[in-house]
Amino acid sequence: MNARVAVVGGGYAGTMIAKELDGEADVILIDPRDAFVNVSSSMRAAVRTEWASRPFFSYDALLEHGRVVRGAVTAVDPAGVTMAGGGRIEADYIVLATGSSHSYPARPRELNTSAADAANDLIATSAQLERSGSVLILGAGAVGLELGGEIREAWPSMRITIVAPSSDILPGYLPEVRDELRRQLQELRIDLRLNTSLASMPPVEDGRHSSFTVTTTTGEEIGADIWFRTFGARPNTGYLEDGNLITLTDRRTVPVDNHLNVVGYDNVYAVGDIADLTDSKMATWAQTQAPTVIENIRSHLRGERPERVYEPATTARILLPLGTRGGVGQLPGHDGAPASAPLEAVIARKGNDLFTARFAERFTRTSS
Ligand SMILES: Cc1cc2nc3c(=O)[nH]c(=O)nc-3n(C[C@H](O)[C@H](O)[C@H](O)COP(=O)(O)OP(=O)(O)OC[C@H]3O[C@@H](n4cnc5c(N)ncnc54)[C@H](O)[C@@H]3O)c2cc1C
């Protein structure tokens, strides 16, 4: 009988690991959703109705041999997982890949929102934006800036204001990348207000057309017809809070060793946003970590000692499109040192399709 691998969380890392091990082990992928969400395309999906369904890839076509169980895991022990509702799934190897939560529209409203409902929410948001003449975006991280870029491309005359307490955009990236980003934001007439925040949150629901005025902590008044929150990612590790398997870090992440095992367990792995690694919480790194878990589980399956070690990233990389025509990037250059990516590369590698083609491939059965 094949060994059983339970992969908890069907995001960037979890689906990669489940697909790779499918057939070599009895794979069970567990997720409350019915579809993988390529969150890289969420912002365009909230703005353009023709994109509303594109972030979602049904789990139906991921595995040829294994199965997908729809539901949330509520507890984990080294022999298996407990499901909401009390069911239990036993496993020889367990991969925890439950990622993070984020405010809507960066991610669907609830953890178990179906792809159909999530697409309808995005279409409704686009309609709310269509009625608006001005938008306030809270947060100047990549998510907030991308949203500003998408809105500008769809509505050239919309007044766009971004407010954030940080002193600059993209801290930690090359000065020339940040200068170019600031230049493009100015060209796009996106009013970026840093070093400030709102004295109190807008008095109306986010993502809905409803005019309001707010005051910043530096005393400025900002009026807008709609607003979005684009900060506040949180690791999805509530199911480990009982401390039975492991004590979470202060950041609510999972301590792992250099094989990506949850510390103290050679059959339980943690990967992606929940792993307590110095890597930025990005899909890029979740998918760079995943092969270490795949290789180490393969060694277990062959009866060998897992030896693959993960070295966290030492350089920052990013592709940040501002709509389909703008954006900046930082990637390793020929010598491996970080370099500013030309606009054409940002558009070709991400801006055009926001990685949709890549996931269409992952979610297609190889034998069909
Ligand atoms: C708007 C936006 C755009 C982004 N764009 C980029 C980008 O362009 N490039 C990049 O590198 N990074 C990007 N990121 C960051 C990236 O999305 C995350 O780093 C990435 O999703 C982490 O992948 P993961 O595999 O750890 O988990 P996730 O992809 O978050 O997947 C976790 C899965 O676990 C499931 N889950 C949660 N709790 C449970 C539970 N209790 N039981 C079972 N399943 C559970 C969830 O439903 C989800 O399907 C973006 C983030 C946002 C919000």
Side-chain angles (χ1 to χ4, degrees):
M1 227 169 63
N2 271 348
R4 177 177 284 178
V5 178
V7 180
V8 185
Y12 290 92
T15 57
M16 189 175 185
I17 293 166
K19 191 169 179 99
E20 279 291 319
L21 295 175
D22 187 30
E24 296 174 38
D26 170 15
V27 171
I28 298 187
L29 178 72
I30 305 161
D31 201 292
R33 301 192 194 286
D34 59 354
F36 164 77
V37 188
N38 173 27
V39 289
S40 297
S41 63
S42 302
M43 292 300 151
R44 191 167 298 164
V47 165
R48 296 184 182 212
T49 50
E50 73 275 21
W51 271 82
S53 300
R54 292 189 204 173
F56 309 107
F57 294 86
S58 167
Y59 290 128
D60 289 349
L62 181 71
L63 304 177
E64 294 191 39
H65 308 279
R67 64 191 171 102
V68 179
V69 173
R70 189 168 179 191
V73 163
T74 54
V76 179
D77 61 72
V81 303
T82 306
M83 305 290 299
R88 175 149 178 96
I89 295 173
E90 305 279 344
D92 302 291
Y93 303 99
I94 300 170
V95 180
L96 306 178
T98 46
S100 358
S101 296
H102 204 293
S103 50
Y104 174 85
R107 290 186 185 269
R109 290 192 191 278
E110 305 292 339
L111 213 48
N112 61 356
T113 308
S114 69
D117 287 346
N120 284 335
D121 283 343
L122 292 164
I123 289 168
T125 298
S126 169
Q128 297 290 319
L129 274 162
E130 176 70 33
R131 297 174 57 198
S132 306
S134 53
V135 57
L136 171 63
I137 297 171
L138 300 184
V143 178
L145 299 175
E146 277 195 38
L147 179 59
E150 294 294 344
I151 292 176
R152 169 57 70 236
E153 191 164 305
W155 291 285
S157 55
M158 181 93 76
R159 189 158 53 78
I160 306 173
T161 308
I162 300 183
V163 169
S166 46
S167 58
D168 204 354
I169 45 178
L170 293 194
Y173 288 89
L174 292 172
E176 56 266 38
V177 173
R178 295 154 70 194
D179 289 348
E180 172 59 13
L181 182 55
R182 268 187 242 104
R183 190 195 67 73
Q184 289 190 31
L185 291 169
Q186 204 169 13
E187 194 174 83
L188 291 173
R189 292 169 287 111
I190 293 177
D191 180 4
L192 184 62
R193 303 197 192 181
L194 300 176
N195 287 311
T196 190
S197 50
L198 300 191
S200 58
M201 293 303 266
V204 297
E205 195 187 334
D206 57 335
R208 295 199 68 80
H209 172 93
S210 184
S211 302
F212 64 92
T213 302
V214 282
T215 310
T216 66
T217 47
T218 38
E220 302 152 280
E221 284 205 339
I222 301 173
D225 297 330
I226 191 167
W227 70 282
F228 295 95
R229 180 200 315 257
T230 67
F231 58 86
R234 294 172 313 284
N236 293 323
T237 49
Y239 61 95
L240 296 171
E241 260 168 10
D242 59 15
N244 284 342
L245 186 78
I246 187 86
T247 303
L248 295 173
T249 67
D250 294 345
R251 295 173 297 282
R252 298 177 40 129
T253 50
V254 182
V256 290
D257 64 20
N258 61 1
H259 292 96
L260 300 186
N261 283 114
V262 174
V263 169
Y265 304 93
D266 63 6
N267 70 327
V268 185
Y269 291 83
V271 66
D273 280 7
I274 66 164
D276 188 44
L277 294 166
T278 50
D279 292 345
S280 300
K281 302 303 179 198
M282 292 174 74
T284 302
W285 301 123
Q287 295 176 113
T288 306
Q289 295 156 18
T292 297
V293 175
I294 294 164
E295 207 41 58
N296 285 338
I297 292 182
R298 278 196 177 125
S299 297
H300 284 294
L301 297 175
R302 289 193 300 262
E304 295 165 9
R305 229 169 80 119
E307 286 187 341
R308 184 142 167 187
V309 160
Y310 181 73
E311 301 287 352
T314 50
T315 56
R317 55 188 293 162
I318 196 165
L319 291 168
L320 196 167
L322 294 172
T324 59
R325 300 188 287 267
V328 296
Q330 178 174 315
L331 296 170
H334 295 304
D335 57 358
S340 169
L343 177 59
E344 309 77 64
V346 177
I347 292 172
R349 293 179 66 154
K350 183 172 172 193
N352 276 337
D353 91 327
L354 303 172
F355 305 134
T356 308
R358 179 185 301 184
F359 293 104
E361 200 174 318
R362 185 179 296 180
F363 289 87
T364 301
R365 284 209 174 90
T366 38
S367 63
S368 60

